[in-house]
Amino acid sequence: MTDPMPPAAPSALAAEPVGPAASPPDRPSLPPGRWIRENLFPNARNSILTVFAILVALFTYRGLLNFMFSEERSWIAVRTNLRLMFTQAYPEHQYVRVWVTVGIVMVLAGLSAGIWARWGGVTLKRLMGWLMSGGGLIAVGVLIREPSVLTDAAGETVRDDAGELVRESFAAAMADRWVWWAVALVLFALGLALWLRFDDLARRTSEIPVAWLVFGLPGLLVASTWVIRYGHYAFADGEFIAEPGQLVAMSTRVPWTVMWLLLIGCYGLGRVARERAIASAQAAADASDDVEVAEEGAGGEGAPELPRGALAKTRAVVNLAWVLSPFFLYWVVMRDPEIDYAHVFSTMLPMGLAFGVAGSAVLWWLTRSDAGEVGRLAAIGLLLLAAFHWVAAFFGWYSMLQVARIAFLLLAVAGLLAPNFAGVAAQRRRLVGAWLFVVLLVFYGATVINAPSTIETPTDMFIGGFSVTLLVSVLTIMLSFPIGVLLALARTSRQPIFRVLSTVYIEVIRGVPLITLLLFFSGVLPLFLPDGMEIAELAAAILGYTLFSAAYLAENVRGGLQSIRRGQYEAADAVGLTTTQRTGFIVLPQSLRVSIPPLVGQVIATFKETSLLAIIGLFDFLRMANSVVPNQSQFLGVRREGLLFISVVYWVVAFAMSKYSQRLEQRVGLGQR
Amino acid sequence: MSTQPAHGDATIAVSDELAARDDMIVCRDVDKWFGDFQALSGITATIKEQEIVVVLGPSGSGKSTWIRCINRLEAHQSGQIIVDGIELTNDLRNIEKIRSEVGMVFQQFNLFPHLTVMDNITLAPIWVRRKSRPEAEELAESLLERVGIPEQAQKFPGQLSGGQQQRVAIARALAMEPRVMLFDEPTSALDPEMIKEVLDVMEELARSGMTMMVVTHEMGFAREVADRIIFMEEGEIVEVGTPHHFFTEPAEERTKLFLSQVL
């Protein structure tokens, strides 16, 4: 990889024939029997431990299986309530809005994966391991689970004279479970086929692209809804009617198929764009005879790195879409806002135009190359004016639309950033363009947010269940991240006021239980707000979570900041970077990548902590399983199934995030070798 | 540098009052304390344009502290430091101006590990000098060529040897087209076989007419390249002279003692 050969090396050295790169000797896999002997039973003590561990695992597994498949379990409560658990009672005829939301996420996910992902492959050996252990696990499960309890014609369990439950015979139980046997056999046979078909070397070196698995498995699942009769649940007159032995309803099957096709299609689109960008960069490199640049990315995992600067616009658009989509989906798609057009034309539109035009003029002036000290003073003046509006609002001196106050503040911030864009015409245009975009966003957002929702649901919230969990965690993470970074910078800043304020804030928040904070924001905060300002319960909850999580994120980022050596600051100073540039280009990028593990830990914690929403009265995922479903007349008291189900969903999401962070660490570790 | 930045524009009009026109660095009675410890006492020296000055002295004699005061990585507490006609004060704008005129090379290289070699070099020209990216990259390529590692542009610092890293650091400093280069023990952290490649680059730079101030322990470099040698001990300048004078007939006892230990 490295090429430590000095440029002045004598040419005789370069002329030497380069032999094949010395590779470490091949180490074939051990045959199964020897592997087991060497790893599990190498000596008496380890053998005892192995046996003990296997017994513990088996008993735990058996307990779980007996719980899951017990006659007392009513999994139908989970299956029929899937919609409720994920979206609450969203109106049937507007359900297309939910699908549009999922669809947009699928499009973005597909595009992102297509453009960015370098997933590499899974070796046949690992795949074989998964298949065979999966089949083995199912077979063991089928064998060790207790035979089912017999029931009489009335559906009551049969008891013998001693009052013990009567179970069917072992053979009958095995015969009843023939479907599971079939699945286990198929999986095992697939693994065995791989084993027989390829020799050891091929199994260890041939790979299946991870993309096939990532998209193929959901694809199989979706396809199976067209074939396998999972059972169907109709919803009529407020009652669920179970229709076992039917295919899944069209209204579920078709959208999911479309979703999967969207995902695949966008992934393909992204891939094509990526390949083209790589090919054109390669061609350009060949043309300029600068082969080095293009080949540089060829290391790593086989897949070539996307050349820098390639697809810059597409990537910027996709990233921006990711950032904006939660807000757009939540306020526009899911709520179907009823916009007051009279107000829009009389107030919002003229005001937005005024801010756009006047703000652009101000920024254009502030970025003149000779604006200098006057410009700086003008920007600070703007900031004071903006701050004054907020103070005035707090004391109720004069009324002003909130959106105007926000726009003033943003203009002041843009003005303070202006010196970074001064002088060069292209940079000035970029700043003004960004300002116009921000104005558009703010005024559109304000219009949409203030418009009431037209979606009618039994509760006053139009979404609930997993979607509210997801919404709160995504918004909290997006909002708390910048705040946390700013807090960390403030706490390490040389400005005493920033340092003291940030330290006090962080220590206070970290010393208060999250539940207290949530109750405060949902119940107490509205009493403190000035007249005419209201805050929705969900917004209050998000605010509470954000402030809480920001304090913890700040401490994580601060840990990263402290790991940056003093020489980095000095080098940045010595080349003349300003403090802002030093922070943005040198200090933050390095400290953030150091703090990836704790940051992701905090993100996962936030995601799980959203289950506290139930306490302040919101219908989140946990509450659906814990109290809504068990209160339905058909499923009175059926709680454990739901809890197990949501645990699995929480775990899948958290595990995916954790895996992603590991990959992220590997990827950004690149420069630190 | 192939092109010297224009000299004598309005901002440097004060130079005549503070220093002679071809005085690049002027220090007058500079004092510096770390707590109760006086690191520099009464440093007075002038470095002319295109002059190569090597600062020698035992460890802890204040050489590095002095050179770091010149671009304000350390603040001096009394006396005057005037670089290219601009006096170093607490005024942030003067500090920024001087830092963009003065290149610095550190003992520990201090490359930015998360950026490629190319980005290390182009960052400051783009954001401080406001060059366009292609312009900055062209400059970076020519500088990498000059320090002898044009093929490493897309690598990360961690993938280079120490000598290569230090040469990238020199290229990074040169990319700002400075009028003075400061070297703070540039070869002390290098393995012996890599020292020469860095010294070669420095020699070439000296021949091209750059004003240089070098803190080093490389006696050979001092003898061959320096116009003047400044010998320091315990925060004071002990002796100043040409290499010939310094190595053959030093006047001060302390200089003789030092030379007897290192030669």
Side-chain angles (χ1 to χ4, degrees):
Chain A
M1 175 119 4
T2 50
D3 177 16
M5 186 191 289
S11 55
L13 246 175
E16 262 183 14
V18 184
S23 54
D26 185 49
R27 293 200 316 159
S29 317
L30 298 174
R34 230 182 110 207
W35 187 90
I36 289 175
R37 203 165 54 243
E38 284 189 7
N39 288 288
L40 298 181
F41 303 98
N43 54 39
R45 203 183 57 150
N46 278 19
S47 306
I48 293 171
L49 287 176
T50 300
V51 170
F52 179 71
I54 288 178
L55 284 180
V56 169
L58 275 184
F59 274 109
T60 321
Y61 187 37
R62 182 168 200 249
L64 186 69
L65 289 172
N66 282 344
F67 173 81
M68 281 172 60
F69 294 99
S70 159
E71 281 64 36
E72 294 159 31
R73 291 288 86 74
S74 164
W75 287 104
I76 194 175
V78 171
R79 275 190 283 166
T80 47
N81 281 306
L82 279 179
R83 267 191 184 188
L84 186 73
M85 290 175 122
F86 280 89
T87 58
Q88 207 184 4
Y90 206 81
E92 189 90 356
H93 65 279
Q94 297 223 3
Y95 223 83
V96 64
R97 293 181 173 278
V98 177
W99 288 116
V100 168
T101 304
V102 179
I104 289 177
V105 173
M106 290 288 170
V107 167
L108 287 178
L111 280 177
S112 302
I115 294 172
W116 277 281
R118 292 169 69 206
W119 278 327
V122 177
T123 58
L124 287 181
K125 188 178 170 191
R126 286 185 77 184
L127 190 66
M128 190 185 79
W130 290 341
L131 286 170
M132 288 177 114
S133 48
L137 203 66
I138 291 179
V140 172
V142 176
L143 276 175
I144 65 174
R145 180 162 82 77
E146 283 178 288
S148 300
V149 175
L150 290 178
T151 50
D152 58 20
E156 294 295 315
T157 51
V158 182
R159 289 176 186 274
D160 61 13
D161 301 335
E164 292 291 309
L165 288 170
V166 179
R167 295 180 179 275
E168 60 183 343
S169 73
F170 185 76
M174 290 303 118
D176 278 353
R177 299 170 192 167
W178 70 269
V179 178
W180 288 106
W181 276 120
V183 172
L185 279 178
V186 165
L187 287 179
F188 204 81
L190 281 176
L192 203 63
L194 283 181
W195 168 277
L196 295 174
R197 173 75 183 71
F198 299 95
D199 64 356
D200 180 51
L201 190 66
R203 283 200 299 268
R204 276 182 296 131
T205 49
S206 338
E207 290 186 337
I208 286 190
V210 173
W212 288 17
L213 299 178
V214 169
F215 296 117
L217 292 180
L220 278 180
L221 202 65
V222 169
S224 73
T225 57
W226 292 87
V227 184
I228 299 177
R229 298 173 182 278
Y230 285 112
H232 167 92
Y233 298 92
F235 188 70
D237 304 329
E239 293 261 324
F240 283 107
I241 301 158
E243 294 175 349
Q246 295 271 327
L247 286 176
V248 174
M250 259 322 191
S251 61
T252 304
R253 218 182 329 159
V254 174
W256 274 120
T257 310
V258 173
M259 293 303 130
W260 187 76
L261 290 175
L262 265 181
L263 185 66
I264 288 288
C266 290
Y267 175 75
L269 266 179
R271 273 286 116 148
V272 169
R274 181 195 167 92
E275 301 296 326
R276 278 201 188 154
I278 289 174
S280 71
Q282 185 80 50
D286 288 347
S288 69
D289 220 1
D290 188 6
V291 195
E292 196 70 31
V293 182
E295 305 221 320
E296 204 51 54
E301 302 169 25
E305 181 111 52
L306 194 61
R308 52 175 303 151
L311 294 178
K313 289 216 170 105
T314 321
R315 291 157 78 176
V317 168
V318 172
N319 277 333
L320 194 66
W322 271 118
V323 173
L324 295 181
S325 61
F327 302 93
F328 173 73
L329 295 174
Y330 171 68
W331 270 297
V332 183
V333 177
M334 299 287 278
R335 281 171 84 239
D336 188 20
E338 190 174 25
I339 293 170
D340 177 5
Y341 283 100
H343 179 69
V344 167
F345 284 112
S346 69
T347 313
M348 296 305 260
L349 207 56
M351 202 154 98
L353 276 177
F355 264 107
V357 173
S360 300
V362 168
L363 290 177
W364 191 255
W365 182 79
L366 281 176
T367 49
R368 285 179 319 157
S369 50
D370 57 341
E373 204 53 17
V374 185
R376 236 175 262 215
L377 282 177
I380 291 173
L382 262 178
L383 185 67
L384 289 178
L385 185 67
F388 180 74
H389 288 316
W390 287 86
V391 175
F394 194 78
F395 292 108
W397 290 339
Y398 54 87
S399 64
M400 185 178 193
L401 278 180
Q402 186 75 357
V403 61
R405 273 187 221 114
I406 293 173
F408 256 122
L409 191 62
L410 289 173
L411 182 60
V413 171
L416 289 175
L417 289 176
N420 279 332
F421 297 85
V424 188
Q427 299 269 18
R428 296 170 78 185
R429 275 198 296 275
R430 197 175 296 171
L431 180 67
V432 169
W435 166 250
L436 290 176
F437 182 70
V438 166
V439 168
L440 182 74
L441 220 60
V442 166
F443 278 81
Y444 180 73
T447 309
V448 173
I449 291 169
N450 287 329
S453 161
T454 60
I455 303 290
E456 289 184 8
T457 54
T459 61
D460 56 354
M461 283 292 303
F462 59 89
I463 55 169
F466 190 67
S467 21
V468 93
T469 294
L470 210 56
L471 177 84
V472 171
S473 19
V474 168
L475 288 186
T476 300
I477 289 158
M478 284 174 65
L479 295 174
S480 61
F481 210 84
I483 300 179
V485 170
L486 285 180
L487 279 172
L489 289 176
R491 195 168 181 180
T492 52
S493 132
R494 259 184 250 151
Q495 271 272 353
I497 295 189
F498 288 167
R499 209 168 51 225
V500 168
L501 281 180
S502 151
T503 308
V504 168
Y505 172 83
I506 291 174
E507 292 309 329
V508 165
I509 294 283
R510 292 209 309 163
V512 174
L514 175 57
I515 301 184
T516 321
L517 212 63
L518 286 179
L519 290 175
F520 176 82
F521 273 97
S522 73
V524 189
L525 183 71
L527 306 179
F528 283 86
L529 290 177
D531 276 352
M533 239 175 117
E534 281 177 30
I535 188 160
E537 199 156 41
L538 191 64
I542 291 175
L543 194 61
Y545 275 116
T546 300
L547 296 182
F548 184 80
S549 151
Y552 280 84
L553 286 175
E555 285 301 275
N556 295 337
V557 174
R558 191 167 69 100
L561 285 176
Q562 280 168 344
S563 74
I564 307 297
R565 280 179 296 127
R566 189 156 159 241
Q568 293 290 311
Y569 290 87
E570 288 179 352
D573 285 343
V575 292
L577 296 182
T578 64
T579 315
T580 322
Q581 290 167 343
R582 183 184 71 194
T583 308
F585 293 133
I586 309 299
V587 178
L588 269 187
Q590 291 187 58
S591 56
L592 285 182
R593 75 184 55 190
V594 174
S595 24
I596 285 175
L599 286 178
V600 174
Q602 182 57 34
V603 166
I604 292 176
T606 303
F607 170 69
K608 290 186 297 182
E609 277 162 3
T610 51
S611 52
L612 292 177
L613 282 172
I615 290 174
I616 58 168
L618 288 170
F619 289 83
D620 79 318
F621 201 32
L622 175 69
R623 187 161 179 198
M624 288 295 171
N626 190 47
S627 46
V628 176
V629 173
N631 281 324
Q632 291 170 339
S633 55
Q634 306 98 310
F635 307 120
L636 223 47
V638 180
R639 179 173 284 124
R640 282 170 284 193
E641 294 79 351
L643 290 180
L644 193 65
F645 172 73
I646 65 163
S647 312
V648 170
V649 176
Y650 274 122
W651 176 80
V652 166
V653 177
F655 183 71
M657 284 197 269
S658 163
K659 271 282 172 209
Y660 179 72
S661 94
Q662 284 171 14
R663 289 194 58 87
L664 200 65
E665 274 167 58
Q666 279 174 11
R667 222 170 60 187
V668 300
L670 185 72
Q672 301 207 319
R673 273 179 288 197
Chain B
M1 280 309 3
S2 49
T3 53
Q4 291 281 342
H7 189 230
D9 53 293
T11 50
I12 316 186
V14 285
S15 65
D16 288 339
E17 298 158 30
L18 290 167
R21 185 160 277 280
D22 63 345
D23 285 351
M24 190 56 82
I25 301 172
V26 178
C27 296
R28 290 194 190 118
D29 284 326
V30 174
D31 292 329
K32 163 85 188 160
W33 284 269
F34 289 113
D36 288 339
F37 172 69
Q38 183 158 17
L40 297 177
S41 48
I43 301 283
T44 301
T46 302
I47 294 167
K48 301 264 181 207
E49 201 171 336
Q50 302 212 337
E51 200 178 15
I52 315 295
V53 172
V54 169
V55 184
L56 297 177
S59 302
S61 59
K63 313 179 298 277
S64 288
T65 308
W66 181 27
I67 207 171
R68 287 157 61 82
C69 281
I70 289 171
N71 68 348
R72 198 68 170 193
L73 291 180
E74 307 280 359
H76 60 287
Q77 278 120 2
S78 68
Q80 271 185 315
I81 298 179
I82 300 153
V83 181
D84 203 13
I86 309 167
E87 183 174 359
L88 268 178
T89 57
N90 280 326
D91 188 332
L92 217 64
R93 276 166 300 169
N94 278 358
I95 296 176
E96 277 173 17
K97 177 112 184 89
I98 286 175
R99 280 178 178 164
S100 63
E101 298 293 341
V102 176
M104 175 118 182
V105 176
F106 299 88
Q107 181 179 354
Q108 298 293 344
F109 330 138
N110 292 347
L111 292 176
F112 306 129
H114 62 300
L115 299 178
T116 60
V117 166
M118 179 57 89
D119 289 337
N120 263 283
I121 299 174
T122 55
L123 184 71
I126 289 175
W127 287 93
V128 181
R129 288 266 187 251
R130 301 271 162 212
K131 282 188 195 297
S132 71
R133 183 172 282 278
E135 210 182 336
E137 286 186 347
E138 199 175 319
L139 173 67
E141 273 162 22
S142 73
L143 285 172
L144 284 173
E145 190 85 44
R146 188 171 171 190
V147 300
I149 39 175
E151 71 284 356
Q152 311 288 6
Q154 298 306 323
K155 288 195 178 160
F156 287 93
Q159 297 169 304
L160 304 182
S161 72
Q164 289 172 327
Q165 290 194 43
Q166 192 60 296
R167 286 187 280 162
V168 172
I170 293 174
R172 178 176 70 181
L174 289 177
M176 286 297 286
E177 301 178 330
R179 295 173 51 75
V180 188
M181 286 284 283
L182 308 177
F183 292 84
D184 184 4
E185 305 204 16
T187 54
S188 301
L190 293 176
D191 292 339
E193 74 268 24
M194 292 169 181
I195 290 178
K196 188 174 178 304
E197 61 189 57
V198 172
L199 290 181
D200 285 348
V201 169
M202 288 168 63
E203 261 185 73
E204 188 271 327
L205 195 60
R207 277 200 303 276
S208 76
M210 174 64 75
T211 313
M212 286 165 65
M213 182 169 168
V214 184
V215 171
T216 186
H217 293 294
E218 294 295 325
M219 295 301 150
F221 180 83
R223 202 192 297 256
E224 301 287 316
V225 183
D227 294 323
R228 270 195 303 158
I229 289 176
I230 296 179
F231 177 70
M232 288 180 74
E233 194 169 22
E234 292 177 350
E236 291 175 345
I237 294 183
V238 175
E239 187 163 0
V240 183
T242 61
H244 179 75
H245 159 85
F246 184 82
F247 284 107
T248 54
E249 48 202 37
E252 298 286 328
E253 274 310 309
R254 288 192 280 179
T255 317
K256 286 176 190 161
L257 183 66
F258 174 74
L259 286 174
S260 72
Q261 285 165 345
V262 296
L263 288 180

